[in-house]
Amino acid sequence: MERRTLLSLLAGGVAGLAGCGTPDGETETPTPEEGTDAPTATPTPEARVERSLTLWNPTPDPVFTTVVGVRDGRDVFFENRDLVPGERAALSVSVPTGETAVLVETDTGVRARSEWVVDAAFEGLEVVLGRDGAAFWQTVSCDARGECSLAAATPDDGPRIDLPLVGDGSARWYAPAGVVVENAGPETTARLRIDLRDASLVDRAYRVPTGARLSIPVTYRSGTYRVAVETDERRVETAWPVPDQPTKYVDVSSGTTGCGPANTTLTVANRDDEPHRLSLRVDAAGGGESFDRTLALDPDEARELVPVTTSGPHAVSVSLETGAATSGTWWSCPPRGPASVVVDATGTVSLRAAGPQPG
C-alpha cells in the first residue's frame, strides 16, 4: 500500500459503498402515495474555519510527512509534504469548530497524535517533528504594541517605540528577530518585558493557555537584549543576542530558555586524499558536559556526530596531527541547519554552518 494513503485509512477506516441493492432483513421504503410529499432530510452543513497548519522539520534528515485531521471517523483534511532539513511548511486547512484529532506519520518512523480544539484566540497549529516524536503547539502572533487575542493587560503608557525596530546597518536578515513565550504546563498569566540598553521595548502581560506558543516580532537591529518573563510561580531573566539567536524561546512552565528546536548534528568530513587524525572538543551552551574525542579519518571519510543535546552557542575547537587548527562558535539555532567540520584538499580545517545565516 502506498505510504500516501496508509495513514488516512488507519485514521478513518474503510467505509463500504452504499446503494447496491437492499441488504437482507431490511424492507424497501414504500413509494409515497400520489398527493403526498416524500419526507426529505437536509443535512446540516458542518461549521468550519480556515486555520494555519505549520509542519516544521528541525532535524538534519529529510522527511516525508503525512498529517490527517479526523472528526467522527472521517478525514476532514489530509496533507502530504516532503520536508528538507530545517524546512517549515505553512499550510491553510479548513477545520471543523470544536475538537479534531490530528495524526502525524513520517517515513522515518515517527507516529504521533494530538487533539486540536479550534479556539478563536489562536491562528493555527504547529507540528514540530523530532527524530523520535512530534510536539504540537497552538500558535498566535502578536504585535507587541497592538491588539492581541491573548493580552491580559493594556500596553504601558510610556513613550511609544514602533516595533519591529529597524536595522542599524551592521546586519541584514529577512525576518524580524522575536521572542516566543510557550507553556507546556497549566494555563498562567505571564508578564513579558524586553529591553535594549536603557529603552523598554515591551512591557505587557499575556494569558498563556496550556500548549500555547505566543510569538512576538521585535527587531531587525543587532544588539544584546534583556528578556524577562514573570508568572506567579517564577521569574526568568536572560540575555538575548541578536542576530546570533534569531528567536528567543521562554517556557513559562519550566523556566527554561533557548533558541528553538535546532538540530544538534555535527558532521566531520575529510576531503583530503590523505588520512588525518582529528581532535575535536565541543563545550555545550550553559556549561553542560563537554564532548572530547579524537577521530582517525580515512580519505573522503565522513561521520555524523551528536556532541550536544541542546540548542544554543557551543564552543568548538579542532586540531589535526599536522598542526592545522580552528575554533569558533557553533550557533545551533534555527534557521541554521547542521554544522560541519571539514578538512579540505589542502589539509586546512574549518567549521561551517549549513543554512541561511543572519548578518
Side-chain angles (χ1 to χ4, degrees), residues 172-177 220 356-359:
R172 180 179 299 171
W173 57 98
Y174 297 103
Y220 289 95
Q357 299 295 310

Side-chain angles (χ1 to χ4, degrees), residues 170-240:
S170 62
R172 180 179 299 171
W173 57 98
Y174 297 103
V179 171
V180 173
V181 178
E182 62 185 25
N183 182 19
E187 178 170 331
T188 188
T189 297
R191 180 183 178 186
L192 171 65
R193 182 180 175 95
I194 303 174
D195 299 330
L196 177 61
R197 294 184 287 274
D198 296 329
S200 176
L201 306 181
V202 177
D203 189 357
R204 200 168 189 187
Y206 297 95
R207 177 178 65 88
V208 193
T210 301
R213 185 172 266 182
L214 170 64
S215 302
I216 301 172
V218 177
T219 185
Y220 289 95
R221 185 175 303 176
S222 300
T224 299
Y225 296 72
R226 185 177 66 88
V227 176
V229 178
E230 187 173 0
T231 67
D232 290 340
E233 291 75 28
R234 62 179 51 84
R235 175 182 171 84
V236 179
E237 188 170 324
T238 181
W240 175 31

Side-chain angles (χ1 to χ4, degrees), residues 4 7 14 37-38 53 63 73 92 100 146 150 183 196 239 244 273 276 280 301-303 305 316-317 338 348 355:
R4 297 171 185 266
L7 188 56
V14 180
D37 294 330
L53 175 65
V63 294
S92 179
T100 298
L150 296 181
N183 182 19
L196 177 61
D244 293 314
D273 56 5
H276 285 287
L280 170 68
E301 182 181 1
R303 300 189 194 180
L305 308 173
V316 179
S317 300
T348 301

Side-chain angles (χ1 to χ4, degrees), residues 295-309:
L295 305 172
L297 298 174
D298 293 328
D300 294 322
E301 182 181 1
R303 300 189 194 180
E304 277 195 357
L305 308 173
V306 183
V308 295
T309 58

Side-chain angles (χ1 to χ4, degrees), residues 37-130:
D37 294 330
T40 58
T42 303
T44 303
E46 189 175 43
R48 291 189 175 222
V49 291
E50 292 294 320
R51 288 290 185 269
S52 66
L53 175 65
T54 301
L55 304 178
W56 186 5
N57 174 29
T59 75
D61 307 309
V63 294
F64 178 87
T65 305
T66 298
V67 58
V68 184
V70 181
R71 178 77 168 269
D72 298 329
R74 296 179 295 108
D75 294 355
V76 296
F77 62 82
F78 181 88
E79 299 287 345
N80 291 312
R81 283 295 183 276
D82 279 303
L83 301 174
V84 300
E87 183 178 0
R88 270 175 125 153
L91 316 172
S92 179
V93 295
S94 179
V95 189
T97 56
E99 187 175 288
T100 298
V102 179
L103 300 95
V104 174
E105 185 172 18
T106 71
D107 61 352
T108 57
V110 171
R111 292 186 179 183
R113 175 190 174 109
S114 184
E115 301 300 323
W116 183 3
V117 180
V118 173
D119 186 329
F122 294 98
E123 298 165 359
L125 183 73
E126 183 174 66
V127 182
V128 185
L129 302 173

Side-chain angles (χ1 to χ4, degrees), residues 23-40:
D24 294 337
E26 295 186 8
T27 59
E28 296 184 1
T29 304
T31 303
E33 296 180 5
E34 186 177 352
T36 63
D37 294 330
T40 58

